[in-house]
Amino acid sequence: MKYFTFLLFVTILPFSLLAQNKFRSFPLEEPIFYKYYQPYTAPVYQLIHKYDELSSKYAKSILADGNSYLQIKNNKNYAKIEFEINGIKLYCSGKVKFKNNRNYFKIEPSSDLFYLSNNQIFCGLKDIEEFKLKNFPTIYNEDGSYLFHKELNEDQITQKVISQKSNTNYNFIINTYKDDKAPDVYNEKYGYLYTNSFYGKDPFDHFIIAPQSKEISTILLENGDRYSGFATIGTYDSQKFGSFTGYLFPMQKSAGNASVLFREFEGKYEWVLVVDNQIEMSVPAKAEEQPQFDVLMNNLENTIGFIKNPKVQFYADIVTTCRTNFGVYRNKNINTLNGYGVNFISKDSIRLGDSHFIELGFFKNGKLEGLGYRCEMKTFYNKPITENQYFDNNSSSISEKVVAQAGIFKGGKLIKGRDINIENDNQPTLNFWSKNKIEGVDWIKRENFVLYKENIIGKIDLNQIKGTDEVHVERLGYNYLIKRIDLNRKAIVIENDGKEVYLNKDSGPVYLTYINKGYVTIGCPPTKYVKTYKKIDEVREVPGYKYDTRVVKGEYITTYYTTKTKQTYTHEKTVFDDYKTIPCPICNGTGNKKVDNSVRVFREIVF
């Protein structure tokens, strides 16, 4: 087996972090976690795709038993066919078949493919069909490690999918469901639900960690971070923010959008409360408090699943508009738990998993005690749903109501932290979770589509702003016309969602924005080399016919004889004459031209 052996450290978890009474809050920062359960497979897929065909489409520099390309005979068996594909020199035995006057060839191996440099196997014959590699073939690197390989696990339900750059460098080793999708789950109301699969242009997209897998996965993520663990519990190693260990599943937005995790960063240890992908609060910790995988897994009741498109939702991209997680994910002794734990359950209404409840963090006698999080999510529909109805953002109004508490708990009650109440979280571009909102606005923008940092050209004082100006509010992600300026309160008043909002120094960056109209001078060739034309008279012929009636032997007959004639006319034609150099009509021969350089610029307002 070519995969990692992981060391699991036995630790004792603290029963309560409240007694330490030391915690700190964090300012708004960039998101920490990427999709931990899904490896970055695109580079591997693209690389394998370059070996799809053993043909002139990809292969070159072909030799067969020492014979050059022109000497190779069509459809003849050769003991050693050498060729280069994607910069790699390989060889095999087999035939070369030509088409289109030898402009096209394909290699049909009768043996495994080997590296020419060291005779290491590249790909087995069992993974080749005629001249093409099969889907998901086992391919080896030159050092004998797996470029790509999958093997069935002992449970006969999951498979191990491996990709390495070398023997010591893994792209991913992931335990996912076998074949292209997980076993179908039957639900009396919905029929078969196709679970635990994510599809896209990359056929490897369905490789996600199987929630029921009992073997550890390690995957390299698209942003360069790495995750090691299970779909439920693991360690997330961030390049910027340190290492996080604990219950990762609740970090998924549809499962709770938060977690309490053990963090190691720059030689220090702490427990952190993460809400909406940002650290919100922390308490100090010791190295020996780091959770151990086997203790957490053995004490976990786990029936969770990830749902993409149930049967009633085919042909609709509604991942963000309905629950994608369902099942039970909680400590077996949750009612009497003392220490670090989780309690997640889902309930069904119109759809599977329409309602979720989760508590996680530190417990005392089954109640939250210390750093923790509690959240209830419910899905509401504004009109009846039928089994034959397809859903998307336009055809059905769906609201996601969230009621949550995050912070320090005592006896199951929040004593320090904040309440999160969201009437409808079914608005993917708006973030209702952040505590860094502007007073009077319930959300901030998840992505800023307007502001380009390179177009910030300086700062401007509030007293220089005019009531007719336009401002850009970074946290809201939009441009707003100023309604009025209140110099007494050192604020700019705008209108958002029909309400007046005061922008001040606590509102985050606010910019005066306008179109900077101007021109820029750039170089231009002063002359152009062009064709010249002249007109000539061209004589054209048009066929005509003359009809004659003739007398044969003194008698008129009814047969008409025709004689072909010609008609001509003169036509004026434009033809090429010569080349000549002329001044450029754009810059009039000056060698410079002005182009519009109007661009939206931003000046940060100093309140």
Side-chain angles (χ1 to χ4, degrees), residues 518-572:
Y519 296 88
V520 63
T521 301
I522 63 174
C524 181
T527 59
K528 293 185 69 175
Y529 196 54
V530 299
K531 291 180 178 180
T532 61
Y533 299 87
K534 63 182 180 181
K535 293 183 178 180
I536 61 171
D537 290 333
E538 180 183 57
V539 177
R540 290 187 176 181
E541 293 183 350
V542 177
Y545 296 91
K546 179 181 178 182
Y547 295 91
D548 295 319
T549 302
R550 295 182 183 182
V551 177
V552 179
K553 294 182 180 181
E555 298 180 357
Y556 286 99
I557 61 175
T558 59
T559 301
Y560 292 91
Y561 295 89
T562 61
T563 303
K564 191 173 183 180
T565 63
K566 294 181 179 179
Q567 294 181 354
T568 61
Y569 71 95
T570 302
H571 169 70
E572 189 176 71

Side-chain angles (χ1 to χ4, degrees), residues 573-592:
K573 182 180 181 181
T574 301
V575 297
F576 169 74
D577 183 26
D578 202 353
Y579 289 95
K580 72 175 181 178
T581 301
I582 64 171
C584 172
I586 298 175
C587 68
N588 295 319
T590 63
N592 294 296

Side-chain angles (χ1 to χ4, degrees), residues 387-430:
E387 186 164 333
N388 295 324
Q389 182 177 348
Y390 299 143
F391 307 109
D392 57 32
N393 287 328
N394 299 317
S395 66
S396 181
S397 177
I398 304 173
S399 62
E400 303 285 358
K401 185 177 178 64
V402 177
V403 178
Q405 292 179 313
I408 303 293
F409 288 79
K410 175 71 172 176
K413 295 182 179 180
L414 183 70
I415 61 172
K416 187 170 185 67
R418 67 182 177 114
D419 291 293
I420 302 171
N421 295 294
I422 304 172
E423 286 299 318
N424 182 15
D425 195 35
N426 181 26
Q427 300 178 67
T429 63
L430 303 183

Side-chain angles (χ1 to χ4, degrees), residues 211-278:
Q212 278 70 45
S213 173
K214 298 297 190 294
E215 298 192 41
I216 288 178
S217 298
T218 180
I219 57 181
L220 182 67
L221 306 177
E222 186 172 358
N223 64 352
D225 293 349
R226 186 173 287 278
Y227 177 73
S228 299
F230 308 90
T232 52
I233 295 164
T235 295
Y236 187 103
D237 290 307
S238 168
Q239 299 178 97
K240 294 183 179 180
F241 303 105
S243 176
F244 299 82
T245 300
Y247 299 110
L248 269 293
F249 166 70
M251 292 292 299
Q252 297 185 46
K253 190 169 183 290
S254 60
N257 203 26
S259 190
V260 173
L261 302 168
F262 180 89
R263 183 194 193 197
E264 179 184 355
F265 184 54
E266 297 179 345
K268 297 181 180 179
Y269 305 94
E270 59 187 353
W271 289 95
V272 294
L273 170 62
V274 180
V275 179
D276 193 48
N277 219 345
Q278 294 191 1

